[in-house]
Amino acid sequence: MGRMGRHVFVAGCVALWLLPLYLLVVNALTPVAEYEGKPGWTFQGFALVDNVRTAWDEAGIGDSFQASLLYAVVCGLVAVLVAAMAAFAVVVLPIPRPAFWFWLIYSGTLFPLQVFLAPLFGLYADANLYDTRLGLMLVYVAWAVPFAFFLIRNQMTTMPPELTEAALIDGASFIRVFWSVHVPLMRSGLGAAFLFQFTAVWNDLLLGLTLSRSGDVQPVMASLATLRATYASSGPPVILAGALVVSVPTLLLFLVFRGLFLRGMAASVR
């Protein structure tokens, strides 16, 4: 494939990504009264504020948005901290059979999420965790740890063992080595892992639909999915305006911290 062919291929891929975004924006701006029942390709007006207000207040996206922000930030931070400690134990601590513990933790990413839905639903119903923020936070942390562990462990294996040995000779404990040596040196990897987990929790639909139903507990993607049935008579503009709003946090996060993300990924794949 020559240079021209590569340019055409890249342009085609860009168009495939931008066209849905263009349709999303155009139809989210369309007033509900002027929507013709099918996606429009031209701007019919500017009713984004009204559509967002309807989705945010009347449809309850605002409560779900705040709940998802709590889940994504808190669960992402906790999962990264737990994953970093687990990676430190597997790579640095003199534990027996470290490969076994690596595969045991990493196996959490190998099974389809659907396998756990029925047992989780029964367990949460029996433990009174169904439709609670604590229940969702627990499952999000457990779900996010294995992949974060994989990323952080990969970066930690590239760190010279002499750093740990020197710190231990100077009298530092393993806890001090973790917090004073490894955590500062792994800031980019920890940041990249957090960005991944924030996005994964924010975009979750399946767990949110299965384990919650209240508007102030249900994550925003699950709330957005139920918006279609509730506001079908209003047409897609309200739904698309809600989708536009809920896509902003992850987009801003990657735009602001893209340098940190790239450095972290580069450190994790060495």
Side-chain angles (χ1 to χ4, degrees):
M1 181 184 294
R3 177 177 298 181
M4 181 60 69
R6 290 195 297 269
H7 289 171
V8 171
F9 176 76
V10 172
C13 292
V14 171
L16 288 175
W17 280 100
L18 291 182
L19 282 177
L21 179 61
Y22 172 78
L23 285 172
L24 171 65
V25 173
V26 168
N27 289 276
L29 296 176
T30 302
V32 173
E34 298 182 15
Y35 186 74
E36 300 177 352
K38 60 181 179 180
W41 290 87
T42 58
F43 291 94
Q44 302 296 326
F46 187 86
L48 179 63
V49 176
D50 293 335
N51 293 338
V52 169
R53 185 181 298 114
T54 301
W56 188 271
D57 295 328
E58 299 180 20
I61 290 292
D63 293 335
S64 298
F65 188 97
Q66 297 174 30
S68 275
L69 195 61
L70 172 69
Y71 301 150
V73 173
V74 174
C75 297
L77 289 174
V78 173
V80 168
L81 177 60
V82 173
M85 291 180 176
F88 182 80
V90 169
V91 176
V92 178
L93 296 184
I95 62 173
R97 304 176 66 184
F100 167 78
W101 295 109
F102 166 76
W103 285 108
L104 179 65
I105 299 173
Y106 181 64
S107 64
T109 66
L110 303 180
F111 298 98
L113 188 59
Q114 292 83 347
V115 173
F116 306 104
L117 292 182
L120 272 175
F121 181 83
L123 175 64
Y124 269 48
D126 294 338
N128 294 322
L129 289 173
Y130 177 76
D131 199 32
T132 64
R133 289 190 173 185
L134 175 61
L136 281 177
M137 293 174 73
L138 289 174
V139 74
Y140 282 144
V141 170
W143 175 44
V145 163
F147 187 69
F149 165 78
F150 174 74
L151 291 178
I152 297 169
R153 179 258 182 191
N154 284 353
Q155 182 182 5
M156 197 173 291
T157 56
T158 65
M159 299 176 64
E162 290 80 10
L163 293 174
T164 302
E165 295 172 1
L168 293 175
I169 291 174
D170 289 340
S173 63
F174 280 114
I175 296 177
R176 181 69 180 274
V177 172
F178 174 74
W179 287 110
S180 300
V181 178
H182 285 73
V183 169
L185 292 176
M186 293 191 307
R187 283 178 297 180
S188 59
L190 296 175
F194 172 75
L195 291 178
F196 265 114
Q197 303 318 317
F198 181 97
T199 304
V201 173
W202 183 268
N203 290 332
D204 170 65
L205 173 63
L206 198 56
L207 289 172
L209 286 176
T210 304
L211 301 177
S212 64
R213 66 171 183 269
S214 301
D216 59 338
V217 174
Q218 198 170 54
V220 70
M221 291 302 171
S223 181
L224 189 63
T226 59
L227 183 62
R228 178 178 177 85
T230 307
Y231 282 82
S233 59
S234 299
V238 172
I239 303 171
L240 294 177
L244 190 62
V245 170
V246 303
S247 64
V248 170
T250 52
L251 179 62
L252 287 178
L253 199 66
F254 275 97
L255 289 178
V256 173
F257 297 104
R258 62 185 182 277
L260 176 67
F261 173 75
L262 293 175
R263 291 195 299 272
M265 289 304 300
S268 298
V269 298
R270 286 175 183 171

